[in-house]
Amino acid sequence: MNSIFRKRCFLIPLVLFTYQLTLAQSRVEESFNDGWKFYKANNSTFFTDFDNGQKYFESQGQWTKLEVWEDVNLPHTYNKDDMQKDRNFYEGKAVYQKTFTPAESDQNRRTFLKFEGVGAVAQLFVNGNYIGEHKGGYSMFTFEIGHSINYGKENTITVITDNKSRRDIIPINHFLFPVYGGIYRPVHLISTNKTNFVVTDQASPGVFIRQKNVSKQSADIHVEAKLETREKVYQDVEFVVEIKDNTGKVVETKKQAIKISPQGYTYINEVIKLKSPHLWDGVRDPYLYSIESKIVSKGQELDVVKQPLGVRSIELIAGKGVFLNGKKYPMYGVTRHQDREGFGSALSFEQHKEDMMMIKEMGATTIRLAHYQQSSDVYALADSIGFLTWAEIPFVNRVSYYENDNAKQQMAELVKQNFNHPSIYIWGVHNEVYSKTADEQVPVLSRELSDIAKTLDPDRYTVAVSGYNVIDRPDNLSTDVQGINHYFGWYGGKIEDLGPWAQKVQKDFPEYKIILSEYGADGNIDIGQEELEAPKDVVTGKSFPENYQTETHIQQWAAIEKNPIILASYLWNSFEFAVPAWNRGGVNARNLKGLITFDRKRKKDSFYWYKANWNPEPMIYLANRRDNMRTHKQTKIQLFSNLSKVQVLVNGKEYTAKPGVNSKHWVVDAVELKTGENIIQAKGKSGEKELTDEMIWNLK
């Protein structure tokens, strides 16, 4: 009896302890990326049923059950090779499948699947039951699946993807960049209590942070949240908001007793006065707090959402510049496409970070993420590095007149999903889409897209982009800011036309907020050329020497920094990227305007030009090093350096370098080369440290 009694006494507190742990368990988010199976079908395949991990397909009226799958882990794309070769790429359906066994104890919780990106249409099935569809290859989406899975047993998740171009989904074609097919970003399995922050509001965090009256003395932090419960009665809880500094220390807390309705959403707003905030100041000081929003019931944490907080104010003033926290901020801008040679768009966090760190090395302070919503990792990296960020939807290049609904959906998703990233200062509604009059589809839809962004987020700017160097086109007058893409000296005019154009804009439109949203030229790093010549045909030409790209950026950056009507500028592009429909410049299926090669292994001269201008770290670099086969005995040498004095030696003979277009551009005229190999050296001092660079030119 005593032995039995002792055992029972031991079991009772153990059961209570286990029950308390279950109650205390808040949101759980797990990686759902390993152990998938994959099958790429042909475009005529139509899937109708799923049976224990198998699939059926139709071919010439016969139904066949396939047993062969390829094992893959996510992220994964089925176009990593073919879309980078030519226009003969696969465009169509593929199937992904995975089995998993959720814990039986989770059956009283809620279960969701969150997809960060699927190209471009995704249909989700759970145990053969159709759950839903998402249209758009770049935004996140979430489905609740708890009512369709069997807890404690094996379940099958099936995702059918399709990246075939459609008139009703933006972008409507693959012309400017490829829409890679597959589940090319991570997937997450999320488990919450029945009372939780909303998970299915277009994959938003359910918590939205706004800032008012920001100064060094104080800031009003508004936390707006959407909550819901699947319990049958009102839930009496505490809504708790904690602001933590970058060490994790709680600096402010606010609590509020609320009732969560079992019907619909419960909306809550809390305001916290943050005294003497450490401001997020871009690359100058990207200081980040965090905000933890909690639902607490009887001392138990039911749900928690953690979001970044960068306290800052941003203002764009026409003709003067961008002001961050009241101080003028240098807008040294680049653009970025997400794909990479051999990987397509299925990139790891480490690869995203490598891209952002190369952009930081260049000295950039702002980034345009073109032409679509990019990975959440990229926005988080921009927060922590300090890049002011332009985020946009893929309403680009062409219109079909069927894309309105999808464009509006993607605009809302972009804003809701990325609302809390302090780095984002502007929302882009379109790029290079046109109508002839202000009454047609593009201006009307652009107004609606801008209104969606401004209604959801009144505190940020909106921008639309024209490919014409005309300011008052009706396509572009619906947003706060106008972006102008113009490639002076490439798609028209001469390199030196940018400066006079900017001066005319200053004269004619002094109160317009104008951004030069794209400029540059193609440059093949493997083609050297002694003479500076513009390619005769930039659409069908097969030779785009690097030196013309270099000269374009030298002259045009010098013009940009002299014209304050250009509030910000974004060179096109940080990296080369795939364009399946192109065959230009000596490399098939490639846009060669990147300053870094597609494989991220080589940096072009233009990269170092901007590094000399933007990055304060002392440097010296000899340009035109790949133009090394020379025919003229007398020639010019140019180098890029932010040192106050440089020395140039050719075969040991010293030459005087003079400033060129600005203080970072150094030129040596009338250098004498000898037949054969010529060793060219550049030297300079930063304090007591000597910096050097060297290249070799060969004279025939």
Side-chain angles (χ1 to χ4, degrees):
M1 288 290 294
N2 288 341
S3 176
I4 294 173
F5 179 77
R6 283 196 299 269
K7 288 180 181 178
R8 286 178 176 171
C9 287
F10 173 77
L11 285 172
I12 290 170
L14 179 62
V15 169
L16 287 174
F17 178 68
T18 304
Y19 176 69
Q20 288 172 348
L21 279 179
T22 303
L23 275 180
Q25 189 177 31
S26 186
R27 179 176 303 212
V28 177
E29 187 166 328
E30 302 175 77
S31 169
F32 205 65
N33 297 317
D34 295 338
W36 286 81
K37 294 180 178 181
F38 161 76
Y39 174 75
K40 183 171 70 174
N42 59 51
N43 284 331
S44 63
T45 303
F46 181 70
F47 300 88
T48 61
D49 196 10
F50 303 94
D51 177 25
N52 297 323
Q54 306 301 325
K55 60 180 173 295
Y56 297 85
F57 77 99
E58 182 188 22
S59 179
Q60 298 179 345
Q62 299 295 317
W63 289 99
T64 304
K65 185 176 182 180
L66 287 172
E67 306 288 345
V68 179
W69 295 83
E70 178 185 347
D71 292 328
V72 299
N73 293 325
L74 306 181
H76 175 268
T77 175
Y78 45 89
N79 295 120
K80 70 181 183 67
D81 297 316
D82 60 357
M83 277 189 160
Q84 300 181 355
K85 292 180 180 178
D86 54 42
R87 62 178 69 238
N88 298 311
F89 54 84
Y90 177 81
E91 184 186 14
K93 289 185 173 70
V95 180
Y96 291 81
Q97 249 182 22
K98 175 182 171 67
T99 59
F100 81 113
T101 304
E104 191 171 356
S105 58
D106 285 345
Q107 61 187 336
N108 290 319
R109 292 169 60 83
R110 302 181 70 184
T111 304
F112 306 85
L113 274 180
K114 179 179 180 180
F115 296 80
E116 290 193 25
V118 177
V121 177
Q123 293 179 314
L124 175 65
F125 297 79
V126 175
N127 297 323
N129 298 320
Y130 177 65
I131 302 299
E133 179 181 65
H134 180 265
K135 297 177 181 178
Y138 300 103
S139 47
M140 297 186 285
F141 58 96
T142 302
F143 287 110
E144 185 165 11
I145 63 171
H147 303 290
S148 301
I149 59 178
N150 300 308
Y151 291 93
K153 298 179 181 179
E154 186 175 85
N155 295 263
T156 300
I157 304 296
T158 305
V159 181
I160 300 177
T161 71
D162 190 347
N163 70 328
K164 187 173 180 60
S165 296
R166 288 171 44 168
R167 294 187 297 172
D168 62 329
I169 300 174
I170 58 172
I172 64 169
N173 59 33
H174 297 279
F175 182 74
L176 282 184
F177 53 89
V179 181
Y180 292 90
I183 310 178
Y184 72 94
R185 289 184 188 153
V187 180
H188 307 266
L189 181 68
I190 300 173
S191 173
T192 72
N193 283 299
K194 288 185 177 181
T195 301
N196 59 289
F197 293 101
V198 173
V199 181
T200 52
D201 178 22
Q202 293 184 300
S204 74
V207 175
F208 303 91
I209 303 165
R210 296 180 63 186
Q211 307 173 30
K212 301 288 185 183
N213 307 315
V214 173
S215 70
K216 290 182 179 179
Q217 288 71 44
S218 65
D220 298 331
I221 308 301
H222 294 245
V223 181
E224 301 172 0
K226 296 181 180 181
L227 305 90
E228 62 181 344
T229 184
R230 287 294 179 262
E231 304 288 0
K232 295 181 179 180
V233 297
Y234 275 86
Q235 299 297 296
D236 293 303
V237 300
E238 261 192 329
F239 176 60
V240 180
V241 179
E242 294 178 344
I243 299 180
K244 297 182 178 181
D245 65 17
N246 65 355
T247 69
K249 179 184 176 182
V250 177
V251 294
E252 293 288 348
T253 302
K254 208 70 176 290
K255 298 180 180 180
Q256 183 181 159
I258 59 172
K259 288 181 176 290
I260 303 179
S261 171
Q263 297 173 293
Y265 293 166
T266 297
Y267 297 86
I268 190 71
N269 183 20
E270 188 64 87
V271 181
I272 301 178
K273 178 78 73 173
L274 186 60
K275 297 178 181 178
S276 302
H278 189 152
L279 300 181
W280 187 92
D281 204 30
V283 295
R284 299 182 295 216
D285 184 10
Y287 186 89
L288 287 173
Y289 294 90
S290 64
I291 286 187
E292 288 190 9
S293 302
K294 303 177 181 180
I295 303 172
V296 178
S297 175
K298 300 176 182 178
Q300 301 293 335
E301 183 182 284
L302 298 182
D303 199 9
V304 60
V305 171
K306 182 177 180 179
Q307 292 290 289
L309 170 64
V311 183
R312 82 288 184 273
S313 65
I314 300 169
E315 185 178 13
L316 276 62
I317 303 177
K320 293 185 178 180
V322 175
F323 292 80
L324 179 60
N325 303 321
K327 297 179 295 183
K328 189 170 182 179
Y329 185 76
M331 295 294 281
Y332 303 151
V334 303
T335 51
R336 188 242 188 189
H337 267 294
Q338 67 181 0
D339 63 340
R340 181 182 289 221
E341 186 174 32
F343 294 89
S345 56
L347 303 183
S348 66
F349 171 79
E350 289 72 22
Q351 288 171 315
H352 288 302
K353 184 177 180 181
E354 183 182 25
D355 278 10
M356 298 294 269
M357 295 310 292
M358 282 192 278
I359 290 169
K360 181 182 180 182
E361 180 193 347
M362 200 188 311
T365 62
T366 180
I367 184 169
R368 179 186 179 197
L369 296 172
H371 287 298
Y372 39 76
Q373 181 171 334
Q374 299 200 11
S375 167
S376 57
D377 288 337
V378 173
Y379 297 107
L381 285 163
D383 294 341
S384 62
I385 295 170
F387 296 144
L388 277 187
T389 301
W390 169 335
E392 63 188 62
I393 61 170
F395 185 27
V396 57
N397 178 238
R398 293 286 187 273
V399 296
S400 69
Y401 308 108
Y402 293 88
E403 65 271 279
N404 287 31
D405 289 344
N406 187 250
K408 294 174 187 177
Q409 169 203 311
Q410 291 198 45
M411 191 79 245
E413 289 172 332
L414 176 74
V415 176
K416 285 184 177 182
Q417 292 169 15
N418 300 288
F419 192 96
N420 297 329
H421 289 291
S423 57
I424 295 175
Y425 80 103
I426 199 164
W427 304 114
V429 304
H430 77 62
N431 181 85
E432 296 183 0
V433 287
Y434 307 108
S435 292
K436 293 180 180 179
T437 75
D439 303 324
E440 296 175 46
Q441 186 235 17
V442 171
V444 173
L445 178 56
S446 296
R447 288 196 294 271
E448 293 173 335
L449 293 172
S450 182
D451 186 60
I452 288 170
K454 298 292 286 188
T455 300
L456 291 172
D457 181 12
D459 304 325
R460 287 187 176 96
Y461 294 92
T462 59
V463 60
V465 174
S466 173
Y468 295 94
N469 59 341
V470 177
I471 301 303
D472 51 352
R473 284 186 63 92
D475 326 272
N476 269 41
L477 294 178
S478 59
T479 52
D480 302 320
V481 181
Q482 282 186 267
I484 300 293
N485 295 347
H486 203 73
Y487 295 82
F488 296 94
W490 192 253
Y491 294 125
K494 299 177 181 179
I495 293 174
E496 58 268 25
D497 290 344
L498 194 156
W501 169 81
Q503 292 164 18
K504 189 175 187 307
V505 172
Q506 175 72 65
K507 179 183 176 182
D508 296 343
F509 301 95
E511 296 186 2
Y512 277 51
K513 299 179 181 70
I514 306 295
I515 289 176
L516 184 61
S517 40
E518 292 179 27
Y519 68 99
D522 286 72
N524 188 330
I525 197 171
D526 294 314
I527 299 179
Q529 180 176 268
E530 184 176 13
E531 301 292 340
L532 182 68
E533 283 182 41
K536 293 181 175 59
D537 189 332
V538 299
V539 175
T540 63
K542 299 299 186 287
S543 179
F544 294 164
E546 183 190 357
N547 70 341
Y548 189 81
Q549 180 193 54
T550 305
E551 187 66 20
T552 298
H553 285 289
I554 290 172
Q555 291 194 35
Q556 294 190 349
W557 170 249
I560 289 166
E561 64 179 349
K562 293 174 185 173
N563 286 280
I565 192 66
I566 302 174
L567 298 184
S569 60
Y570 294 89
L571 64 86
W572 190 267
N573 192 286
S574 298
F575 308 98
E576 296 175 349
F577 58 94
V579 186
W582 286 18
N583 185 358
R584 307 177 183 181
V587 181
N588 202 20
R590 189 78 51 83
N591 188 310
L592 294 169
K593 293 184 182 70
L595 307 193
I596 301 170
T597 56
F598 198 20
D599 60 7
R600 278 37 173 196
K601 293 181 180 178
R602 294 183 291 170
K603 298 167 182 172
K604 301 177 188 178
D605 284 352
S606 300
F607 175 93
Y608 294 98
W609 165 243
Y610 286 104
K611 185 174 180 179
N613 280 272
W614 296 349
N615 188 336
E617 181 184 351
M619 64 154 289
I620 192 166
Y621 178 83
L622 285 160
N624 308 109
R625 61 212 303 125
R626 283 169 287 277
D627 306 328
N628 57 352
M629 303 308 295
R630 316 298 291 190
T631 59
H632 300 305
K633 187 171 185 179
Q634 191 173 84
T635 189
K636 179 181 83 170
I637 293 172
Q638 59 182 354
L639 60 145
F640 312 143
S641 179
N642 51 18
L643 303 176
S644 59
K645 185 178 180 181
V646 297
Q647 179 185 21
V648 176
L649 296 96
V650 180
N651 301 319
K653 180 181 177 180
E654 184 173 352
Y655 288 83
T656 300
K658 299 178 181 179
V661 297
N662 67 10
S663 62
K664 309 302 188 297
H665 184 223
W666 299 85
V667 179
V668 183
D669 291 311
V671 170
E672 294 286 336
L673 300 180
K674 67 178 183 179
T675 302
E677 183 178 273
N678 292 264
I679 299 174
I680 302 168
Q681 298 171 303
K683 298 180 180 180
K685 280 193 172 183
S686 174
E688 296 300 314
K689 183 180 179 181
E690 184 175 71
L691 283 73
T692 64
D693 193 23
E694 182 176 301
M695 67 181 181
I696 295 175
W697 281 356
N698 289 282
L699 177 66
K700 292 183 180 179

